[in-house]
Amino acid sequence: NSVYIDGTPNNLMTPNGDNNNAVNNALLATNWTMEFYANVVSHPTVQTLICKGADNGLNSDGYSEFSFDVLADGRVSYVTFPDGIQGTKQDITSTNSITYGEWLHFAVVQQGAVTSIYVGGVLFAQGSIWRPVGPYWALRMASFCYPNFRNQSEAYFDEFRLTKNIARYTSGFTPLTQQFPYPTKSSTRAVPKSGSLAIRKNGIKI
């Protein structure tokens, strides 16, 4: 049931505005965890796995909140944009590179002021950077948010989960080899106080 994005202008995205409150509320919490599995195809360019920001240049600066990327050399980078993509940016970037063509677990963990990147359960990068605070923009998988379809990724994606109020990983861990556990009832209209959002090919489960 994984989703394949072929590197052309295709992506998955949540709605903008009030319809995206579940995502916004989770990312505005002091602690949160965003994680998914991906099998990334090697490309000589930056590939954006997840971003959050304006999808149609809704302001003059092409506002984006963050971008989680695989760089051309295989390193991973989590970038935030305090002044929009035309202004300054802040990032944490790994020194290690991913292995292309294999299923890997990716996680970005926010714990207070500290942001961490884990790949395959290994801490790849950590630091304190500007935290996105925008209330409106969509979450997009497999391309940069603005300009549209920049940094397209070619990859298989599966089991996306966004957890509010919990920094799930604070040190190295062994990723699950089965579906993430979810509450038995679907709650597609809001993220519970300490709940999870998940996007899957065969429907959206929250």
Side-chain angles (χ1 to χ4, degrees):
N1 291 327
S2 62
V3 177
Y4 172 63
I5 306 294
D6 63 5
T8 59
N10 295 298
N11 58 75
L12 300 175
M13 65 179 294
T14 64
N16 277 318
D18 292 340
N19 292 324
N20 198 31
N21 280 340
V23 171
N24 293 323
N25 290 338
L27 293 172
L28 290 173
T30 301
N31 301 319
W32 51 261
T33 303
M34 179 174 63
E35 57 188 317
F36 56 93
Y37 289 84
N39 183 333
V40 183
V41 177
S42 178
H43 278 280
T45 58
V46 176
Q47 299 188 74
T48 294
L49 302 179
I50 300 285
C51 74
K52 188 169 185 289
D55 62 335
N56 287 308
L58 296 181
N59 70 358
S60 60
D61 195 26
Y63 188 81
S64 288
E65 295 178 43
F66 70 77
S67 181
F68 184 31
D69 306 321
V70 176
L71 305 182
D73 59 5
R75 293 177 299 142
V76 292
S77 183
Y78 178 77
V79 187
T80 60
F81 303 89
D83 305 308
I85 61 171
Q86 306 300 327
T88 60
K89 68 178 183 179
Q90 299 181 21
D91 70 276
I92 53 172
T93 300
S94 71
T95 56
N96 296 338
S97 297
I98 69 165
T99 301
Y100 290 105
E102 293 185 5
W103 280 103
L104 298 171
H105 178 271
F106 293 83
V108 178
V109 180
Q110 189 71 51
Q111 185 177 29
V114 178
T115 306
S116 304
I117 298 174
Y118 292 89
V119 179
V122 177
L123 179 64
F124 263 44
Q126 188 176 70
S128 296
I129 57 177
W130 179 80
R131 293 188 55 176
V133 295
Y136 187 86
W137 312 113
L139 188 72
R140 186 190 296 262
M141 178 179 287
S143 79
F144 195 69
C145 291
Y146 182 82
N148 281 341
F149 308 128
R150 193 179 80 179
N151 298 352
Q152 284 286 142
S153 61
E154 183 179 2
Y156 294 86
F157 293 90
D158 200 4
E159 289 294 301
F160 176 89
R161 178 168 67 172
L162 173 60
T163 306
K164 178 182 178 182
N165 289 339
I166 299 175
R168 288 188 179 274
Y169 312 116
T170 57
S171 60
F173 62 96
T174 301
L176 293 175
T177 56
Q178 59 192 32
Q179 287 188 344
F180 293 134
Y182 296 105
T184 55
K185 292 184 178 181
S186 175
S187 56
T188 59
R189 295 171 185 81
V191 172
K193 185 175 181 181
S194 296
S196 299
L197 165 73
I199 300 177
R200 295 174 177 163
K201 180 181 179 181
N202 55 338
I204 297 178
K205 182 176 182 180
I206 301 180

